[in-house]
Amino acid sequence: MVGKGAKGMLARVTAVLEDVSFKLRVSVTLLLLRGHVASSLIQNGAVPSEATKRDPNLTRGNWGNQIEFVLTSVGYAVGLGNVWRFPYLCYRNGGGAFMFPYFIMLIFCGIPLFFMELSFGQFASQGCLGVWRISPMFKGVGYGMMVVSTYIGIYYNVIICIAFYYFFSSMTHVLPWAYCNNPWNTPDCAGVLDTSNLTNGSRPAALPSNLSHPLNHTLQRTSPSEEYWRLYVLKLSDDIGNFGEVRLPLLGCLGVSWVVVFLCLIRGVKSSGKVVYFTATFPYVVLTILFVRGVTLEGAFTGIMYYLTPQWDKILEAKVWGDAASQIFYSLGCAWGGLITMASYNKFHNNCYRDSIIISITNCATSVYAGFVIFSILGFMANHLGVDVSRVADHGPGLAFVAYPEALTLLPISPLWSLLFFFMLILLGLGTQFCLLETLVTAIVDEVGNEWILQKKTYVTLGVAVAGFLLGIPLTSQAGIYWLLLMDNYAASFSLVIISCIMCVSIMYIYGHRNYFQDIQMMLGFPPPLFFQICWRFVSPAIIFFILIFTVIQYQPITYNHYQYPGWAVAIGFLMALSSVICIPLYALFQLCRTDGDTLLQACLHLTQLLQGLCPSFQPWIWGPPSRGCDPAACPKHLFQEGRGGGCSAGVSSEPSGRRPCTTALCPPSTRLKAQSSQTCCPHSCAKWPQPTCSILLWSQSSSQGLQCPFVRPLCPLCSDNPSQAVSNPL
């Protein structure tokens, strides 16, 4: 009996221990799952209170975390223009007074357009071509963005290669543009460190103060940095048509820059997202080092005051407001396609509203900060020469490769500062170039869309990089700088304004602002704020139109220093500008020709989804995320759509905010419901509309009771039980 009692006690103890062990394992598992879900929510950029936020796009890939997206977007928006264009525009347009229209344009145009493009790409999870499922007629806008990105990508990498060349040239004890005793210098050369009084000679001592005045007021005076740039680096020809020879050092640096870009994008956003931790942050380290060094120099305060002193009378000039609007528009990279592409790799519920504000403000703050860095050094140089700051201020390549390098020669250990400056330019350029190349690659891959090209994306990236290198070779010739400036002035000028304006109109007025606001609410959990709704519908398009008018009124033929471009070169520039805009009407005509419809009006309505304005309950084509919670195996083939990862054409959504019901679950093939016009509506017997589209166009969720066809005979096509009796003239 004792033995049996002991055995029973032992069995009960064992059972208790097993039960405790099981509960402990369950508790640990739940804790791990809870931590994993919380981690996923943080990575998705989601609001922690929202329960369902896991929607990774396994086919295309996503950013590793939200910091990668923000840093990539900052690197894309903050480019060379922030350093070499904004400070010049600021002092030319009234100094500190220019900040007022600049930030007004940022609030009413820059941030709203930035938010629109980010939300557009994130909702569709497609590049600049795939997003136009929203309105197929306007897919030409996406092709126009690709053309613009191609032009910019070609010449932008040439600028990076020149920065590489100066970076390598700075690896010496004495900068090669510091003195006038080099073989390429002319008798007119007179440097700030020379005592040879306008002639060549041996290396001089420091410049006497009484010589600075006649030195810089001599009409024939050219600086050694200018002659190094013009006569040695470029070996500039006398005409844009005279290509001369290809500059082999520049060609080699161009190859290096394209290799760097390709290696950083070899695995798409998975690799570039890691690189931007350095390329997007280190320029701020260099800017801070140069700022601290600059403000400690004599005359730096004069330069900074020249940069910031407000001239309030200029605020009433239309040109100042036009320059402010243009700088905001071009600086943020709107209508290039890059913002749409980068946002397409976000998790679906990422808070792109927050990101758009952070990135836009960071971009503009960087421009203002760079102005302090530039003008502190230029003020020191002007003080050293005894001239006004306006005599040494410049913009564009003249600032980056002539004026600023000359100022750096005055600093102790000048090669060190030169290395830092040009390394900063390289990183700023690469941040933009990454997105330009990824825009083209993503558009191609998404457009083809099959499994083969998804697996071979690296080869697509390589092909685009090789093509960009070959197309950039003419820009490394002796006439290359002429063509580079021609592309910069025309390829991405008024064409971007037109593309952006058409994009706003097509989303707000063709697809419909209510539909778009509902899409954003489904994606973010809240609709766009009222301020953004007003800006998207009225204010931003008006400002864009103002920029276009201002660009046309202020147009002047392009020049480079004293060189006037010939008429045929200007004509080529206009053709480059039109080549991106012409994509829009050409593709619309192409789509009209291949679209079913008895009349042109019917075809237009089909393509632009204008029926949504006539039929309030119109269900637009599925252009956004896949149907989460919809079992593809339960979908008949004619109802299955290849969307973001696949799913039912209008699948069941586990989220109450999802407004697209699952046709399979709610509309079995045998269902026949009456429409408002008492006509029988059948989603499987459409004669005029494509079969996958029919099931979406003709059915919508009216209540929890089921579905009904909302279309009225005078407005919309109906299908009867007999396909031959389908309405042929719905309008």
mmCIF file of all heavy atoms in Angstrom, residues 30-69:
data_model
loop_
_atom_site.group_PDB
_atom_site.id
_atom_site.type_symbol
_atom_site.label_atom_id
_atom_site.label_comp_id
_atom_site.label_asym_id
_atom_site.label_seq_id
_atom_site.Cartn_x
_atom_site.Cartn_y
_atom_site.Cartn_z
ATOM 1 N N LEU A 30 4.546 33.255 -26.070
ATOM 2 C CA LEU A 30 3.718 34.448 -26.241
ATOM 3 C C LEU A 30 4.537 35.722 -26.097
ATOM 4 O O LEU A 30 4.334 36.702 -26.826
ATOM 5 C CB LEU A 30 2.577 34.435 -25.221
ATOM 6 C CG LEU A 30 1.478 33.381 -25.445
ATOM 7 C CD1 LEU A 30 0.463 33.405 -24.303
ATOM 8 C CD2 LEU A 30 0.767 33.644 -26.777
ATOM 9 N N LEU A 31 5.465 35.727 -25.133
ATOM 10 C CA LEU A 31 6.312 36.904 -24.960
ATOM 11 C C LEU A 31 7.171 37.139 -26.192
ATOM 12 O O LEU A 31 7.337 38.272 -26.653
ATOM 13 C CB LEU A 31 7.200 36.739 -23.722
ATOM 14 C CG LEU A 31 6.495 36.864 -22.371
ATOM 15 C CD1 LEU A 31 7.459 36.508 -21.235
ATOM 16 C CD2 LEU A 31 5.955 38.277 -22.181
ATOM 17 N N LEU A 32 7.734 36.055 -26.748
ATOM 18 C CA LEU A 32 8.552 36.204 -27.954
ATOM 19 C C LEU A 32 7.725 36.696 -29.121
ATOM 20 O O LEU A 32 8.153 37.564 -29.895
ATOM 21 C CB LEU A 32 9.211 34.864 -28.298
ATOM 22 C CG LEU A 32 10.295 34.380 -27.332
ATOM 23 C CD1 LEU A 32 10.767 32.976 -27.733
ATOM 24 C CD2 LEU A 32 11.475 35.348 -27.329
ATOM 25 N N LEU A 33 6.510 36.137 -29.265
ATOM 26 C CA LEU A 33 5.638 36.586 -30.357
ATOM 27 C C LEU A 33 5.251 38.038 -30.180
ATOM 28 O O LEU A 33 5.211 38.815 -31.137
ATOM 29 C CB LEU A 33 4.379 35.715 -30.411
ATOM 30 C CG LEU A 33 4.560 34.295 -30.958
ATOM 31 C CD1 LEU A 33 3.255 33.505 -30.841
ATOM 32 C CD2 LEU A 33 4.996 34.350 -32.424
ATOM 33 N N ARG A 34 4.961 38.427 -28.935
ATOM 34 C CA ARG A 34 4.599 39.818 -28.680
ATOM 35 C C ARG A 34 5.748 40.750 -29.022
ATOM 36 O O ARG A 34 5.570 41.800 -29.632
ATOM 37 C CB ARG A 34 4.205 39.986 -27.218
ATOM 38 C CG ARG A 34 3.716 41.379 -26.876
ATOM 39 C CD ARG A 34 3.284 41.458 -25.414
ATOM 40 N NE ARG A 34 2.215 40.501 -25.124
ATOM 41 C CZ ARG A 34 1.730 40.290 -23.904
ATOM 42 N NH1 ARG A 34 2.221 40.964 -22.871
ATOM 43 N NH2 ARG A 34 0.763 39.418 -23.716
ATOM 44 N N GLY A 35 6.963 40.358 -28.670
ATOM 45 C CA GLY A 35 8.128 41.176 -29.016
ATOM 46 C C GLY A 35 8.350 41.253 -30.504
ATOM 47 O O GLY A 35 8.700 42.297 -31.053
ATOM 48 N N HIS A 36 8.122 40.096 -31.201
ATOM 49 C CA HIS A 36 8.288 40.088 -32.663
ATOM 50 C C HIS A 36 7.280 41.005 -33.328
ATOM 51 O O HIS A 36 7.604 41.760 -34.244
ATOM 52 C CB HIS A 36 8.135 38.667 -33.187
ATOM 53 C CG HIS A 36 8.183 38.580 -34.679
ATOM 54 N ND1 HIS A 36 9.342 38.793 -35.395
ATOM 55 C CD2 HIS A 36 7.211 38.332 -35.600
ATOM 56 C CE1 HIS A 36 9.100 38.657 -36.687
ATOM 57 N NE2 HIS A 36 7.792 38.388 -36.829
ATOM 58 N N VAL A 37 6.009 40.946 -32.859
ATOM 59 C CA VAL A 37 4.976 41.810 -33.445
ATOM 60 C C VAL A 37 5.290 43.267 -33.192
ATOM 61 O O VAL A 37 5.173 44.122 -34.071
ATOM 62 C CB VAL A 37 3.587 41.436 -32.877
ATOM 63 C CG1 VAL A 37 2.549 42.461 -33.299
ATOM 64 C CG2 VAL A 37 3.184 40.045 -33.345
ATOM 65 N N ALA A 38 5.711 43.576 -31.950
ATOM 66 C CA ALA A 38 6.054 44.970 -31.648
ATOM 67 C C ALA A 38 7.193 45.450 -32.516
ATOM 68 O O ALA A 38 7.190 46.576 -33.013
ATOM 69 C CB ALA A 38 6.421 45.103 -30.160
ATOM 70 N N SER A 39 8.200 44.581 -32.704
ATOM 71 C CA SER A 39 9.314 44.950 -33.573
ATOM 72 C C SER A 39 8.849 45.192 -34.991
ATOM 73 O O SER A 39 9.296 46.126 -35.655
ATOM 74 C CB SER A 39 10.379 43.855 -33.544
ATOM 75 O OG SER A 39 11.410 44.130 -34.457
ATOM 76 N N SER A 40 7.922 44.334 -35.460
ATOM 77 C CA SER A 40 7.413 44.512 -36.818
ATOM 78 C C SER A 40 6.668 45.815 -36.949
ATOM 79 O O SER A 40 6.783 46.526 -37.952
ATOM 80 C CB SER A 40 6.490 43.339 -37.200
ATOM 81 O OG SER A 40 7.189 42.121 -37.169
ATOM 82 N N LEU A 41 5.894 46.183 -35.933
ATOM 83 C CA LEU A 41 5.148 47.433 -35.994
ATOM 84 C C LEU A 41 6.081 48.622 -36.054
ATOM 85 O O LEU A 41 5.855 49.579 -36.787
ATOM 86 C CB LEU A 41 4.225 47.560 -34.775
ATOM 87 C CG LEU A 41 3.052 46.555 -34.692
ATOM 88 C CD1 LEU A 41 2.243 46.801 -33.430
ATOM 89 C CD2 LEU A 41 2.171 46.650 -35.924
ATOM 90 N N ILE A 42 7.158 48.563 -35.281
ATOM 91 C CA ILE A 42 8.103 49.676 -35.292
ATOM 92 C C ILE A 42 8.775 49.787 -36.646
ATOM 93 O O ILE A 42 8.934 50.860 -37.198
ATOM 94 C CB ILE A 42 9.151 49.487 -34.167
ATOM 95 C CG1 ILE A 42 8.475 49.605 -32.804
ATOM 96 C CG2 ILE A 42 10.267 50.504 -34.304
ATOM 97 C CD1 ILE A 42 9.391 49.289 -31.641
ATOM 98 N N GLN A 43 9.161 48.620 -37.201
ATOM 99 C CA GLN A 43 9.813 48.662 -38.505
ATOM 100 C C GLN A 43 8.872 49.153 -39.582
ATOM 101 O O GLN A 43 9.282 49.783 -40.546
ATOM 102 C CB GLN A 43 10.338 47.274 -38.877
ATOM 103 C CG GLN A 43 11.542 46.857 -38.053
ATOM 104 C CD GLN A 43 12.118 45.545 -38.541
ATOM 105 O OE1 GLN A 43 11.581 44.906 -39.412
ATOM 106 N NE2 GLN A 43 13.222 45.164 -37.960
ATOM 107 N N ASN A 44 7.577 48.870 -39.442
ATOM 108 C CA ASN A 44 6.624 49.311 -40.436
ATOM 109 C C ASN A 44 6.344 50.796 -40.337
ATOM 110 O O ASN A 44 5.665 51.355 -41.195
ATOM 111 C CB ASN A 44 5.284 48.564 -40.277
ATOM 112 C CG ASN A 44 5.386 47.135 -40.748
ATOM 113 O OD1 ASN A 44 6.322 46.783 -41.439
ATOM 114 N ND2 ASN A 44 4.424 46.309 -40.373
ATOM 115 N N GLY A 45 6.817 51.454 -39.291
ATOM 116 C CA GLY A 45 6.488 52.858 -39.119
ATOM 117 C C GLY A 45 5.033 53.049 -38.750
ATOM 118 O O GLY A 45 4.451 54.082 -39.036
ATOM 119 N N ALA A 46 4.410 52.053 -38.142
ATOM 120 C CA ALA A 46 2.979 52.089 -37.895
ATOM 121 C C ALA A 46 2.689 52.696 -36.542
ATOM 122 O O ALA A 46 3.529 52.797 -35.668
ATOM 123 C CB ALA A 46 2.403 50.679 -37.958
ATOM 124 N N VAL A 47 1.442 53.080 -36.376
ATOM 125 C CA VAL A 47 0.980 53.538 -35.080
ATOM 126 C C VAL A 47 0.855 52.327 -34.173
ATOM 127 O O VAL A 47 0.220 51.334 -34.548
ATOM 128 C CB VAL A 47 -0.379 54.244 -35.212
ATOM 129 C CG1 VAL A 47 -0.860 54.723 -33.863
ATOM 130 C CG2 VAL A 47 -0.253 55.406 -36.183
ATOM 131 N N PRO A 48 1.458 52.307 -32.982
ATOM 132 C CA PRO A 48 1.490 51.095 -32.158
ATOM 133 C C PRO A 48 0.121 50.548 -31.819
ATOM 134 O O PRO A 48 -0.036 49.364 -31.589
ATOM 135 C CB PRO A 48 2.242 51.551 -30.895
ATOM 136 C CG PRO A 48 3.082 52.692 -31.357
ATOM 137 C CD PRO A 48 2.268 53.382 -32.413
ATOM 138 N N SER A 49 -0.917 51.398 -31.752
ATOM 139 C CA SER A 49 -2.235 50.922 -31.379
ATOM 140 C C SER A 49 -2.926 50.161 -32.485
ATOM 141 O O SER A 49 -3.941 49.507 -32.268
ATOM 142 C CB SER A 49 -3.111 52.109 -30.969
ATOM 143 O OG SER A 49 -3.242 53.019 -32.055
ATOM 144 N N GLU A 50 -2.423 50.224 -33.716
ATOM 145 C CA GLU A 50 -3.046 49.525 -34.817
ATOM 146 C C GLU A 50 -2.586 48.073 -34.802
ATOM 147 O O GLU A 50 -1.408 47.765 -34.704
ATOM 148 C CB GLU A 50 -2.675 50.195 -36.146
ATOM 149 C CG GLU A 50 -3.235 51.605 -36.240
ATOM 150 C CD GLU A 50 -2.802 52.285 -37.515
ATOM 151 O OE1 GLU A 50 -1.969 51.715 -38.226
ATOM 152 O OE2 GLU A 50 -3.294 53.382 -37.782
ATOM 153 N N ALA A 51 -3.549 47.172 -34.970
ATOM 154 C CA ALA A 51 -3.261 45.763 -34.742
ATOM 155 C C ALA A 51 -2.615 45.086 -35.925
ATOM 156 O O ALA A 51 -1.717 44.282 -35.773
ATOM 157 C CB ALA A 51 -4.549 45.038 -34.360
ATOM 158 N N THR A 52 -3.090 45.333 -37.125
ATOM 159 C CA THR A 52 -2.619 44.583 -38.292
ATOM 160 C C THR A 52 -1.775 45.466 -39.171
ATOM 161 O O THR A 52 -2.283 46.301 -39.907
ATOM 162 C CB THR A 52 -3.821 44.058 -39.095
ATOM 163 O OG1 THR A 52 -4.658 45.150 -39.431
ATOM 164 C CG2 THR A 52 -4.613 43.046 -38.280
ATOM 165 N N LYS A 53 -0.478 45.265 -39.104
ATOM 166 C CA LYS A 53 0.416 46.108 -39.882
ATOM 167 C C LYS A 53 1.448 45.305 -40.650
ATOM 168 O O LYS A 53 2.374 45.876 -41.181
ATOM 169 C CB LYS A 53 1.143 47.090 -38.943
ATOM 170 C CG LYS A 53 0.212 48.101 -38.318
ATOM 171 C CD LYS A 53 -0.487 48.929 -39.352
ATOM 172 C CE LYS A 53 -1.469 49.880 -38.736
ATOM 173 N NZ LYS A 53 -2.289 50.551 -39.728
ATOM 174 N N ARG A 54 1.311 43.998 -40.693
ATOM 175 C CA ARG A 54 2.324 43.203 -41.382
ATOM 176 C C ARG A 54 1.901 42.994 -42.827
ATOM 177 O O ARG A 54 0.954 42.281 -43.117
ATOM 178 C CB ARG A 54 2.513 41.855 -40.687
ATOM 179 C CG ARG A 54 3.097 41.955 -39.300
ATOM 180 C CD ARG A 54 3.398 40.584 -38.764
ATOM 181 N NE ARG A 54 4.374 39.918 -39.605
ATOM 182 C CZ ARG A 54 4.477 38.599 -39.690
ATOM 183 N NH1 ARG A 54 3.654 37.823 -39.029
ATOM 184 N NH2 ARG A 54 5.384 38.062 -40.473
ATOM 185 N N ASP A 55 2.570 43.655 -43.728
ATOM 186 C CA ASP A 55 2.247 43.477 -45.135
ATOM 187 C C ASP A 55 3.507 43.534 -45.977
ATOM 188 O O ASP A 55 3.630 44.337 -46.877
ATOM 189 C CB ASP A 55 1.242 44.535 -45.594
ATOM 190 C CG ASP A 55 1.737 45.935 -45.322
ATOM 191 O OD1 ASP A 55 2.641 46.093 -44.499
ATOM 192 O OD2 ASP A 55 1.243 46.861 -45.949
ATOM 193 N N PRO A 56 4.520 42.736 -45.665
ATOM 194 C CA PRO A 56 5.738 42.784 -46.452
ATOM 195 C C PRO A 56 5.478 42.341 -47.882
ATOM 196 O O PRO A 56 4.740 41.406 -48.131
ATOM 197 C CB PRO A 56 6.674 41.804 -45.731
ATOM 198 C CG PRO A 56 5.761 40.884 -45.012
ATOM 199 C CD PRO A 56 4.555 41.670 -44.647
ATOM 200 N N ASN A 57 6.089 43.039 -48.820
ATOM 201 C CA ASN A 57 5.966 42.688 -50.222
ATOM 202 C C ASN A 57 7.138 41.792 -50.579
ATOM 203 O O ASN A 57 8.222 42.259 -50.886
ATOM 204 C CB ASN A 57 5.985 43.963 -51.066
ATOM 205 C CG ASN A 57 5.567 43.698 -52.489
ATOM 206 O OD1 ASN A 57 5.711 42.584 -52.985
ATOM 207 N ND2 ASN A 57 5.053 44.713 -53.138
ATOM 208 N N LEU A 58 6.909 40.485 -50.482
ATOM 209 C CA LEU A 58 8.009 39.545 -50.643
ATOM 210 C C LEU A 58 8.554 39.556 -52.059
ATOM 211 O O LEU A 58 9.717 39.226 -52.295
ATOM 212 C CB LEU A 58 7.532 38.136 -50.263
ATOM 213 C CG LEU A 58 7.050 37.971 -48.812
ATOM 214 C CD1 LEU A 58 6.571 36.549 -48.585
ATOM 215 C CD2 LEU A 58 8.160 38.327 -47.840
ATOM 216 N N THR A 59 7.719 39.919 -53.022
ATOM 217 C CA THR A 59 8.161 39.882 -54.411
ATOM 218 C C THR A 59 9.138 41.004 -54.717
ATOM 219 O O THR A 59 10.202 40.777 -55.295
ATOM 220 C CB THR A 59 6.949 39.974 -55.349
ATOM 221 O OG1 THR A 59 6.026 38.937 -55.018
ATOM 222 C CG2 THR A 59 7.388 39.828 -56.795
ATOM 223 N N ARG A 60 8.798 42.225 -54.343
ATOM 224 C CA ARG A 60 9.629 43.380 -54.673
ATOM 225 C C ARG A 60 10.644 43.690 -53.580
ATOM 226 O O ARG A 60 11.688 44.255 -53.851
ATOM 227 C CB ARG A 60 8.759 44.628 -54.895
ATOM 228 C CG ARG A 60 7.805 44.502 -56.063
ATOM 229 C CD ARG A 60 6.933 45.731 -56.187
ATOM 230 N NE ARG A 60 7.657 46.853 -56.779
ATOM 231 C CZ ARG A 60 8.011 47.933 -56.128
ATOM 232 N NH1 ARG A 60 7.745 48.041 -54.844
ATOM 233 N NH2 ARG A 60 8.648 48.918 -56.732
ATOM 234 N N GLY A 61 10.314 43.368 -52.343
ATOM 235 C CA GLY A 61 11.188 43.706 -51.238
ATOM 236 C C GLY A 61 10.769 45.003 -50.571
ATOM 237 O O GLY A 61 10.001 45.798 -51.119
ATOM 238 N N ASN A 62 11.256 45.216 -49.383
ATOM 239 C CA ASN A 62 10.976 46.425 -48.615
ATOM 240 C C ASN A 62 12.261 46.944 -47.997
ATOM 241 O O ASN A 62 13.280 46.252 -47.970
ATOM 242 C CB ASN A 62 9.956 46.154 -47.502
ATOM 243 C CG ASN A 62 8.563 45.874 -48.035
ATOM 244 O OD1 ASN A 62 8.085 44.755 -47.995
ATOM 245 N ND2 ASN A 62 7.906 46.906 -48.534
ATOM 246 N N TRP A 63 12.196 48.171 -47.504
ATOM 247 C CA TRP A 63 13.310 48.707 -46.736
ATOM 248 C C TRP A 63 13.511 47.865 -45.484
ATOM 249 O O TRP A 63 12.552 47.359 -44.913
ATOM 250 C CB TRP A 63 13.045 50.153 -46.341
ATOM 251 C CG TRP A 63 12.900 51.089 -47.495
ATOM 252 C CD1 TRP A 63 11.760 51.654 -47.964
ATOM 253 C CD2 TRP A 63 13.949 51.588 -48.334
ATOM 254 N NE1 TRP A 63 12.022 52.455 -49.047
ATOM 255 C CE2 TRP A 63 13.363 52.438 -49.297
ATOM 256 C CE3 TRP A 63 15.330 51.395 -48.376
ATOM 257 C CZ2 TRP A 63 14.101 53.090 -50.279
ATOM 258 C CZ3 TRP A 63 16.068 52.042 -49.356
ATOM 259 C CH2 TRP A 63 15.464 52.884 -50.286
ATOM 260 N N GLY A 64 14.768 47.746 -45.050
ATOM 261 C CA GLY A 64 15.043 46.996 -43.840
ATOM 262 C C GLY A 64 14.359 47.597 -42.630
ATOM 263 O O GLY A 64 13.855 46.883 -41.767
ATOM 264 N N ASN A 65 14.333 48.915 -42.554
ATOM 265 C CA ASN A 65 13.603 49.625 -41.512
ATOM 266 C C ASN A 65 13.312 51.031 -42.016
ATOM 267 O O ASN A 65 13.778 51.431 -43.090
ATOM 268 C CB ASN A 65 14.386 49.657 -40.190
ATOM 269 C CG ASN A 65 15.772 50.254 -40.377
ATOM 270 O OD1 ASN A 65 15.933 51.417 -40.757
ATOM 271 N ND2 ASN A 65 16.803 49.452 -40.123
ATOM 272 N N GLN A 66 12.570 51.773 -41.235
ATOM 273 C CA GLN A 66 12.119 53.068 -41.710
ATOM 274 C C GLN A 66 13.238 54.101 -41.774
ATOM 275 O O GLN A 66 13.165 55.055 -42.556
ATOM 276 C CB GLN A 66 10.983 53.589 -40.815
ATOM 277 C CG GLN A 66 10.041 54.539 -41.516
ATOM 278 C CD GLN A 66 9.576 54.002 -42.846
ATOM 279 O OE1 GLN A 66 9.370 52.807 -43.005
ATOM 280 N NE2 GLN A 66 9.440 54.868 -43.817
ATOM 281 N N ILE A 67 14.275 53.920 -40.992
ATOM 282 C CA ILE A 67 15.399 54.860 -41.033
ATOM 283 C C ILE A 67 16.060 54.821 -42.398
ATOM 284 O O ILE A 67 16.483 55.865 -42.930
ATOM 285 C CB ILE A 67 16.415 54.531 -39.915
ATOM 286 C CG1 ILE A 67 15.770 54.710 -38.548
ATOM 287 C CG2 ILE A 67 17.654 55.402 -40.037
ATOM 288 C CD1 ILE A 67 16.677 54.358 -37.386
ATOM 289 N N GLU A 68 16.145 53.649 -42.998
ATOM 290 C CA GLU A 68 16.755 53.537 -44.325
ATOM 291 C C GLU A 68 15.990 54.370 -45.349
ATOM 292 O O GLU A 68 16.589 55.049 -46.191
ATOM 293 C CB GLU A 68 16.800 52.071 -44.756
ATOM 294 C CG GLU A 68 17.748 51.207 -43.937
ATOM 295 C CD GLU A 68 17.785 49.775 -44.429
ATOM 296 O OE1 GLU A 68 17.163 49.503 -45.489
ATOM 297 O OE2 GLU A 68 18.429 48.930 -43.782
ATOM 298 N N PHE A 69 14.666 54.314 -45.300
ATOM 299 C CA PHE A 69 13.861 55.103 -46.236
ATOM 300 C C PHE A 69 14.055 56.598 -46.016
ATOM 301 O O PHE A 69 14.231 57.363 -46.978
ATOM 302 C CB PHE A 69 12.386 54.745 -46.088
ATOM 303 C CG PHE A 69 11.466 55.722 -46.770
ATOM 304 C CD1 PHE A 69 11.421 55.807 -48.157
ATOM 305 C CD2 PHE A 69 10.660 56.576 -46.032
ATOM 306 C CE1 PHE A 69 10.584 56.717 -48.789
ATOM 307 C CE2 PHE A 69 9.819 57.480 -46.647
ATOM 308 C CZ PHE A 69 9.784 57.553 -48.040
#
